[in-house]
Amino acid sequence: MSKSIVHRIATYTVAALCLAPWWATAANTINDARYWPANDYSRLTLESATPINYKVFSLENPARLVIDLEDVNSAPAIQELTNKIGTNDPWIAKLRAGLNRPGVFRLVLDLRGEVKPSLFTLKPVGNYGNRLVLDVYPAKPGTPKPADTDTTASVPPVVIKSDNKIDVIADIKPELKPDIKIAENKDLSSDTSDKTIKSTDKTDRPNKKSNYVITRLITVAVDAGHGGEDPGAHGANGSLEKNITLAVAKRVKAKIDAIDNMHAVLTRDSDFFIPLAERVNKARRLNADLFVSIHADAFIRPDARGSSVFTLSEHGATSAAARWLAKSENDADLVGGVNVGVKDKNLAKTLIDLSQTATNTDSRRLASSVLNRLSEVNRLHKGEVEEAGFAVLKAPDIPSILVETAFISNPEEEARLGDDAYQDKLATAIVDGIKRYFASNPATARSKMAIRD
């Protein structure tokens, strides 16, 4: 081939490249799309190998949220997700997606009403790459769910892989029983503000007086560890900590609600992510008497086993293992994905070390009572209450404990944790420990039990 021909070919090639559309170089690919619908808020997560550049704006009449993904020409994972979003979502009615113009892939979310969206990026952490996260909150906290959404069961999240295979995970069973309002549970009128509730179950009375009235039900905040983007620890046979903790937490709630003078509230009732600080904030907003966080350990050695109960440490962890576990649990915000750009004015007030001696002492008493009952269900990892710097235990005015039910990293204990009967035994032990705590420390309940003459 002559030099002139080679020169002409090279010239034409360069010219072709120069004339090629700029979008031909768009190479970012959306590898995974994950969707977590919940009553508190709904989350959409897009994951890619390189950071996602985006623009977002809203439209009205009807209400829509538009997200333009730049340097993206196609996204099969998102397109597969369009048929899944909106079926039972409280806040998002529908998702439409497609190429808006060369190099710009557009998502349009049809909304059910006024919402408060939050869009932010996360750097790679753990098994996750770069993430673009959309959280759709109700415009006002506590906004009721739209009437046309299904409220009879939890909505299982859907994970769409780039190979178009659909993997439905965390198929959470509905509540063991429906939530019961206090008025219905006690067969009283809905206005209990100026009424008293008389206890009829002598076994649950905190003292030997024959007559007493309760001016407010004891409230226990039951926190199911992890959730949503944050799966928690993984078992060797595929179990996820977030699923086990939710199952046990629901059983604990059902058993507490069955006690005449108590009721429980879950920090999460389905599979979605809650920042550690918000778990504490929820308990404080509820004016909870106790905070019980439920987890399932994982450790670097598969032979580690046994149940543990932790309180917040003021001076450091009681063991190297406790320190390791606390760090693992405290990393939940990194894995689950917190928008660090949002400054919570209550954060500094909430995430502070326990400095009130009374709260610290009550936490240790509660932990000891629960640990004692757990010893009848499972062997103990240690024969005493442990301490570590768990962020989720940092409510300054609520006795708080963290229960590590068993080691999910131990194959034998993983199998037991997945068994319904065993979960029920764990829940019974936790609730019995709480009852025994109040039997010995009735004054710690904010219900202000009043003895009648």
Side-chain angles (χ1 to χ4, degrees):
M1 184 180 294
S2 67
K3 291 184 179 180
S4 60
I5 294 176
V6 172
H7 177 74
R8 285 197 297 271
I9 292 175
T11 301
Y12 294 151
T13 302
V14 172
L17 290 173
C18 292
L19 293 174
W22 64 268
W23 59 82
T25 60
N28 204 356
T29 302
I30 307 300
N31 298 322
D32 291 311
R34 296 182 290 274
Y35 169 53
W36 311 97
N39 296 330
D40 286 39
Y41 73 100
S42 292
R43 168 170 286 196
L44 174 63
T45 301
L46 309 180
E47 186 176 349
S48 63
T50 58
I52 301 173
N53 296 317
Y54 66 92
K55 292 181 180 178
V56 60
F57 58 93
S58 58
L59 299 171
E60 298 179 353
N61 299 319
R64 287 156 290 163
L65 187 67
V66 181
I67 304 173
D68 283 344
L69 307 179
E70 300 179 346
D71 301 328
V72 176
N73 274 323
S74 64
I78 299 176
Q79 291 173 326
E80 284 293 324
L81 198 59
T82 58
N83 295 327
K84 307 299 178 183
I85 290 183
T87 305
N88 293 314
D89 193 297
W91 318 113
I92 304 172
K94 187 178 181 180
L95 169 66
R96 291 171 285 140
L99 193 65
N100 177 256
R101 56 190 183 277
V104 177
F105 195 84
R106 172 167 289 185
L107 284 67
V108 179
L109 291 91
D110 297 329
L111 306 173
R112 295 189 185 276
E114 187 180 1
V115 298
K116 183 180 179 181
S118 174
L119 190 64
F120 56 97
T121 58
L122 296 171
K123 294 180 180 180
V125 61
N127 296 324
Y128 293 129
N130 293 275
R131 285 176 288 173
L132 176 63
V133 179
L134 170 66
D135 289 341
V136 180
Y137 294 92
K140 297 179 181 179
T143 301
K145 292 173 292 185
D148 59 344
T149 58
D150 182 12
T151 61
T152 60
S154 301
V155 182
V158 178
V159 176
I160 307 298
K161 300 295 183 180
S162 57
D163 60 2
N164 295 338
K165 293 181 180 179
I166 301 175
D167 179 23
V168 180
I169 64 174
D171 189 8
I172 305 299
K173 297 178 181 179
E175 278 278 16
L176 298 180
K177 67 175 186 178
D179 287 340
I180 301 175
K181 295 179 180 179
I182 294 175
E184 296 172 348
N185 195 27
K186 304 302 173 184
D187 195 25
L188 299 175
S189 67
S190 58
D191 181 13
T192 59
S193 58
D194 58 350
K195 295 180 175 63
T196 59
I197 301 174
K198 182 182 293 185
S199 175
T200 57
D201 187 351
K202 296 181 181 180
T203 61
D204 292 321
R205 294 184 180 183
N207 53 56
K208 296 181 179 180
K209 298 288 184 179
S210 58
N211 293 309
Y212 72 93
V213 292
I214 302 170
T215 58
R216 173 185 168 274
L217 291 181
I218 296 172
T219 301
V220 180
V222 183
D223 175 51
H226 306 281
E229 282 283 281
D230 172 27
H234 295 252
N237 295 314
S239 300
L240 297 180
E241 182 181 7
K242 66 175 182 178
N243 296 340
I244 291 171
T245 60
L246 182 59
V248 175
K250 286 185 174 183
R251 293 178 185 275
V252 170
K253 171 179 166 54
K255 293 178 184 298
I256 290 177
D257 287 345
I259 300 173
D260 187 66
N261 61 336
M262 299 174 68
H263 82 118
V265 182
L266 297 173
T267 57
R268 68 177 180 96
D269 58 3
S270 59
D271 188 16
F272 64 98
F273 170 71
I274 306 178
L276 297 175
E278 178 57 20
R279 295 171 188 265
V280 180
N281 279 331
K282 279 191 171 188
R284 300 191 76 200
R285 287 196 299 266
L286 292 166
N287 198 29
D289 299 283
L290 298 180
F291 180 88
V292 180
S293 189
I294 298 173
H295 292 257
D297 310 55
F299 198 55
I300 53 179
R301 299 197 322 268
D303 60 332
R305 62 182 302 159
S307 301
S308 304
V309 181
F310 289 84
T311 60
L312 182 68
S313 170
E314 295 179 281
H315 309 292
T318 51
S319 68
R323 187 180 304 109
W324 188 89
L325 287 171
K327 182 185 183 304
S328 177
E329 300 295 359
N330 291 345
D331 284 345
D333 279 356
L334 296 176
V335 178
V338 175
N339 186 1
V340 295
V342 175
K343 304 299 182 182
D344 186 350
K345 64 182 180 181
N346 297 317
L347 184 61
K349 294 181 180 180
T350 300
L351 290 183
I352 61 176
D353 288 340
L354 285 173
S355 57
Q356 298 178 3
T357 304
T359 305
N360 249 337
T361 301
D362 290 336
S363 296
R364 285 192 290 268
R365 288 173 177 169
L366 171 63
S368 179
S369 181
V370 172
L371 186 68
N372 181 268
R373 289 294 290 114
L374 283 172
S375 68
E376 300 173 15
V377 177
N378 189 25
R379 64 174 290 181
L380 300 181
H381 184 61
K382 280 196 171 183
E384 58 188 14
V385 173
E386 296 194 70
E387 297 180 0
F390 291 95
V392 78
L393 299 182
K394 293 186 178 181
D397 52 353
I398 306 174
S400 304
I401 63 172
L402 186 144
V403 179
E404 293 283 8
T405 53
F407 280 87
I408 195 174
S409 54
N410 181 302
E412 181 183 343
E413 292 203 334
E414 177 191 7
R416 297 176 72 188
L417 285 170
D419 179 70
D420 289 345
Y422 188 68
Q423 289 179 3
D424 199 66
K425 289 181 180 179
L426 289 171
T428 298
I430 293 170
V431 174
D432 284 351
I434 292 172
K435 289 165 60 178
R436 290 189 181 186
Y437 164 77
F438 278 123
S440 302
N441 306 274
T444 60
R446 300 183 187 184
S447 56
K448 305 299 182 186
M449 297 182 185
I451 306 300
R452 298 205 309 192
D453 295 333

